[in-house]
Amino acid sequence: MAKLTTQQINDIRSSVDIVDIVSKYIPLTQKGKNFFGVCPFHDDHSPSMSVSQEKQIYTCFSCGATGNVFKFIMDYDNISFPEAIKKIADLVGIPLNIDVNVNKKSIINKSLYDIYELSLKFYQNNLNTNDGIIAKEYLYQRSIDDELIKVFQIGLAIKKRDLLTRLLLKKSFNETDLIKSGLIIKSEYGLNDIYYNRIMFPLYDLNGSVVGYSGRIYNTNDTSKYINTKETEIFKKGELLYNYHRAKDECRTLGQVIIVEGFMDVIRTYSIGVKNVVATMGTAVTKNQALLIKRMAKEVILLFDGDEAGAKATMSCATELEKIGIVPKVVRLDENLDPDEYILKYGEERFLTKLKNPTNIMDFKLSYLKTKKNLNNSADIAKYVNEVLEHLNNIEDDVLREITLTKLSKDSNLEIDFLRNKLEMPIKDIKLKEKNKDERKILSKYQKAEVYLINYMMKNTEVIKRCMKKLSNLPSKEYRDLQRLIVTYYNEFGYINEADFMTYLMDKDESYMETVKQIKKMNLKENFTLEEIDDYIKVILDYNIESEYQRLSDLMNKTDDIMKKAEIGQRIVELKILKGE
């Protein structure tokens, strides 16, 4: 595949307006010459992300997230740099002939990804042989047709326990990687497959690569209906959502994401045309997963199993989502059924009616928190009221808070003003107070000079030329390394702007972008004078002289060599002259 030049990549970036692209993902409001939105990369509650149309970059002044349009898409969609380039190129109709299926994670764990890619083909092939006839019949009986089998890449591990092992060894994979993959186990009898005589449902990472399996029994009795792959270097349940790679675009188009517990619920809803669905795989929702959900769509519907465990999971998931400013809606299913069972029993129409009429989260919580409580009992009433108020403290919506207080007052026979006074300050007010605190790191005058110089070097060629002429190196390694890259970029291309320079950093070590992020987080002033730049340079020069003076003084104290002392003394005299002493 052809490799794009830097100029071609810059042309693709400049062919779009970052405001247009970012606004497809998050709502933006113009304030002055910049646009602002709620940052999708941390648990933001008020608009702290600024998008500059003039500079074609974004910056969150809370978490420090920063970059150009490529970086935004990479982080939002969890895709690689080449994939982000391809996505923008496709958007503007620029034909590209590049390999986009590459990311750093897959390079680091390439052998594990390769093992899973081969295992997927192996299991899929098994299902289409004579050994797969019974398994296919089982799937058909569960209303999983050939199209669903194909879309979700369902396969089969047959009864023999060493077939996959033998295939992988034949393909020259080493024993260590086979065991690390979670597909092969080593016992006193040698290496064997973990999965046998089970229907194999692939589990995917955020980019759609297979990284695990859930193997289901189909023609035997076993205490373990499902066996899931253990966590590995490429399979971390708490960082993934099942079907994310298929559902994300549909969710953004519809503005809604539906969260279910199991992969079979996803497959079943998909079969009736509901494709904006992801699954938590039965685990408690983590902060990472909550942030992924937040990026997918503004409206979130929790559609967990209809039993007690499902209600408990709904409460837990809602609480995690509320921490990052999402107020979900809830759909509860009758007869303790999960979505898969409900659709099979009652059909598409009745299910869709349920889906179109969700309950607001606080009505669900009121109902759930009443469970097993006697509201004629003072102790139970007190517990109920305190629990509701605790959950209501997580809700920013003033209208929903007031409606819930009215219902709670009726349930408890307590005055609404009394209940209102028991509530804590709304989250948004707390966040506003926190935001107004100056939490920025106090910098020494030398550090401040470094930060300002790097900040302005990324924007202005005159600053670069001044630094090249008067200042060889910055004291701190992270700024010195970035300084050298800026100079290299300028020497190669003859100009600088932040958006293109950030593209230049994309395939460099991540530490460079991290340094830029920390600088951007400081929200430094935009305008400067060349006199200020000269002052910053002088501060650094003074620091370098003082550091060298101290180093030489220490060296002189440690040496007994007369000639060496004289040589060092001469250097110290020269430094004193430079210092003006």
Side-chain angles (χ1 to χ4, degrees):
M1 295 288 182
K3 184 176 180 181
L4 296 177
T5 66
T6 300
Q7 187 58 53
Q8 285 174 313
I9 295 172
N10 290 341
D11 288 346
I12 292 168
R13 183 201 60 74
S14 60
S15 67
V16 297
D17 183 345
I18 192 172
V19 173
D20 291 339
I21 301 300
V22 173
S23 62
K24 293 179 188 296
Y25 291 82
I26 59 172
L28 294 177
T29 303
Q30 186 168 9
K31 294 179 183 178
K33 63 180 182 179
N34 290 338
F35 293 76
F36 289 83
V38 173
C39 177
F41 305 122
H42 77 288
D43 54 342
D44 197 12
H45 292 259
S46 57
S48 59
M49 176 177 280
S50 169
V51 184
S52 170
Q53 201 163 38
E54 178 186 351
K55 299 175 187 173
Q56 290 296 301
I57 63 172
Y58 66 91
T59 300
C60 175
F61 298 121
S62 180
C63 74
T66 190
N68 57 18
V69 68
F70 294 137
K71 180 66 173 166
F72 183 87
I73 289 175
M74 284 168 65
D75 290 346
Y76 200 108
D77 285 342
N78 295 284
I79 60 177
S80 66
F81 181 39
E83 287 174 298
I85 295 171
K86 182 73 163 57
K87 189 161 188 173
I88 294 296
D90 288 345
L91 194 66
V92 295
I94 299 175
L96 290 185
N97 182 30
I98 61 170
D99 185 3
V100 300
N101 297 313
V102 178
N103 58 58
K104 288 184 179 179
K105 186 175 179 182
S106 66
I107 292 170
I108 293 168
N109 297 295
K110 187 175 186 306
S111 61
L112 297 186
Y113 282 98
D114 288 345
I115 286 170
Y116 270 95
E117 186 178 349
L118 186 56
S119 71
L120 179 66
K121 294 173 183 175
F122 172 74
Y123 291 139
Q124 286 181 296
N125 183 65
N126 287 345
L127 189 62
N128 293 310
T129 65
N130 288 333
D131 291 314
I133 292 172
I134 296 174
K136 262 198 171 181
E137 283 300 322
Y138 170 84
L139 290 170
Y140 294 156
Q141 288 168 14
R142 292 204 62 180
S143 299
I144 298 176
D145 59 21
D146 287 329
E147 179 61 24
L148 289 175
I149 290 171
K150 180 181 177 182
V151 169
F152 290 94
Q153 299 180 297
I154 301 168
L156 176 69
I158 60 179
K159 288 183 180 181
K160 292 182 182 179
R161 288 208 59 178
D162 64 346
L163 291 182
L164 179 60
T165 301
R166 283 160 51 193
L167 174 63
L168 293 172
L169 288 173
K170 186 178 179 181
K171 295 292 183 180
S172 300
F173 291 103
N174 64 58
E175 182 178 308
T176 301
D177 286 337
L178 295 187
I179 295 169
K180 279 170 62 177
S181 74
L183 293 175
I184 309 299
I185 189 171
K186 186 174 185 178
S187 69
E188 57 185 306
Y189 305 107
L191 296 174
N192 282 297
D193 304 356
I194 290 280
Y195 293 103
Y196 63 97
N197 203 29
R198 286 178 180 266
I199 293 175
M200 303 297 286
F201 294 88
L203 309 177
Y204 308 87
D205 67 10
L206 301 177
N207 298 310
S209 298
V210 176
V211 291
Y213 290 99
S214 187
R216 195 195 195 286
I217 58 172
Y218 66 99
N219 64 348
T220 58
N221 292 317
D222 195 306
T223 53
S224 301
K225 185 186 290 185
Y226 288 98
I227 293 179
N228 295 329
T229 301
K230 67 178 184 179
E231 290 213 341
T232 67
E233 291 177 16
I234 62 173
F235 180 49
K236 310 285 185 188
K237 268 192 177 184
E239 298 176 5
L240 307 177
L241 289 166
Y242 179 78
N243 201 47
Y244 175 88
H245 65 292
R246 290 192 197 90
K248 60 184 179 181
D249 291 336
E250 184 81 2
C251 291
R252 287 168 196 153
T253 300
L254 298 175
Q256 179 193 78
V257 56
I258 301 166
I259 315 297
V260 297
E261 289 187 73
F263 62 84
M264 278 304 304
D265 300 322
V266 171
I267 294 172
R268 183 62 56 216
T269 57
Y270 190 97
S271 74
I272 62 169
V274 180
K275 299 180 180 180
N276 54 320
V277 186
V278 295
T280 63
M281 295 298 295
T283 60
V285 171
T286 65
K287 183 176 180 179
N288 282 342
Q289 290 172 323
L291 287 170
L292 282 174
I293 291 166
K294 182 180 181 179
R295 294 177 201 172
M296 296 177 78
K298 189 172 181 180
E299 183 180 11
V300 178
I301 294 180
L302 304 182
L303 178 60
F304 289 175
D305 297 356
D307 57 11
E308 170 62 21
K312 187 176 180 180
T314 302
M315 287 289 286
S316 173
C317 182
T319 300
E320 196 62 44
L321 292 173
E322 286 161 2
K323 289 178 185 176
I324 59 170
I326 296 174
V327 181
K329 298 176 182 177
V330 177
V331 171
R332 294 293 291 155
L333 300 177
D334 311 316
E335 301 174 34
N336 295 334
L337 299 176
D338 62 33
D340 176 34
E341 295 166 334
Y342 192 91
I343 293 169
L344 290 175
K345 183 171 183 177
Y346 291 113
E348 174 182 340
E349 188 175 337
R350 185 161 164 179
F351 174 78
L352 292 177
T353 300
K354 278 272 189 187
L355 204 54
K356 290 173 185 174
N357 295 280
T359 303
N360 81 63
I361 187 61
M362 286 312 301
D363 278 353
F364 165 74
K365 288 187 175 185
L366 288 172
S367 174
Y368 180 81
L369 293 171
K370 284 179 192 174
T371 307
K372 297 179 183 176
K373 289 187 178 71
N374 178 4
L375 295 190
N376 293 317
N377 178 285
S378 297
D380 276 5
I381 290 176
K383 186 176 181 183
Y384 169 62
V385 169
N386 286 326
E387 286 176 346
V388 173
L389 291 177
E390 184 180 347
H391 284 278
L392 201 51
N393 282 325
N394 294 325
I395 301 295
E396 292 186 45
D397 187 329
D398 293 334
V399 175
L400 183 55
R401 285 163 71 99
E402 201 64 21
I403 290 171
T404 306
L405 285 173
T406 301
K407 292 179 179 178
L408 184 60
S409 174
K410 192 176 292 185
D411 284 343
S412 62
N413 289 320
L414 293 171
E415 292 292 331
I416 192 168
D417 286 341
F418 170 81
L419 296 172
R420 195 180 289 118
N421 290 334
K422 287 290 181 183
L423 274 180
E424 293 176 3
M425 184 187 298
I427 290 174
K428 61 184 177 183
D429 294 337
I430 295 171
K431 290 287 179 183
L432 187 59
K433 284 193 171 186
E434 289 175 352
K435 191 175 181 180
N436 290 335
K437 290 180 184 176
D438 187 7
E439 297 177 342
R440 284 180 292 181
K441 180 180 171 184
I442 298 173
L443 302 175
S444 70
K445 65 177 182 177
Y446 307 115
Q447 291 171 319
K448 180 180 176 182
E450 287 184 290
V451 166
Y452 274 87
L453 283 175
I454 288 292
N455 184 53
Y456 297 136
M457 284 179 79
M458 289 191 293
K459 304 170 187 285
N460 189 283
T461 56
E462 187 57 39
V463 178
I464 296 174
K465 287 188 278 188
R466 245 175 168 77
C467 288
M468 288 170 66
K469 183 178 179 181
K470 300 180 179 182
L471 186 64
S472 57
N473 281 313
L474 295 175
S476 303
K477 184 181 185 305
E478 65 269 28
Y479 299 130
R480 185 165 62 247
D481 291 345
L482 197 53
Q483 175 196 18
R484 288 172 182 166
L485 271 184
I486 292 170
V487 170
T488 300
Y489 183 91
Y490 172 71
N491 285 335
E492 185 174 349
F493 300 104
Y495 79 101
I496 191 132
N497 68 53
E498 287 179 288
D500 284 345
F501 181 65
M502 287 178 179
T503 299
Y504 182 71
L505 294 180
M506 294 296 185
D507 60 354
K508 303 289 188 292
D509 191 281
E510 291 177 5
S511 62
Y512 294 118
M513 273 306 296
E514 186 58 33
T515 302
V516 173
K517 175 180 174 180
Q518 294 308 316
I519 293 172
K520 286 294 179 185
K521 193 175 179 180
M522 296 176 194
N523 195 17
L524 306 178
K525 67 186 182 72
E526 288 294 319
N527 299 321
F528 64 90
T529 64
L530 292 178
E531 287 75 16
E532 283 180 85
I533 299 302
D534 288 338
D535 286 342
Y536 294 138
I537 290 173
K538 185 177 184 308
V539 167
I540 298 299
L541 289 173
D542 288 345
Y543 178 86
N544 288 344
I545 292 170
E546 184 61 39
S547 297
E548 181 63 6
Y549 178 85
Q550 189 60 53
R551 187 187 73 83
L552 291 172
S553 297
D554 291 343
L555 192 59
M556 178 177 275
N557 291 332
K558 290 176 184 177
T559 185
D560 295 324
D561 187 321
I562 300 298
M563 294 298 292
K564 193 121 183 144
K565 275 183 179 288
E567 186 183 326
I568 295 170
Q570 180 60 38
R571 281 289 299 131
I572 289 175
V573 170
E574 291 170 2
L575 287 175
K576 284 183 176 181
I577 294 170
L578 281 174
K579 287 174 68 178
E581 294 181 7

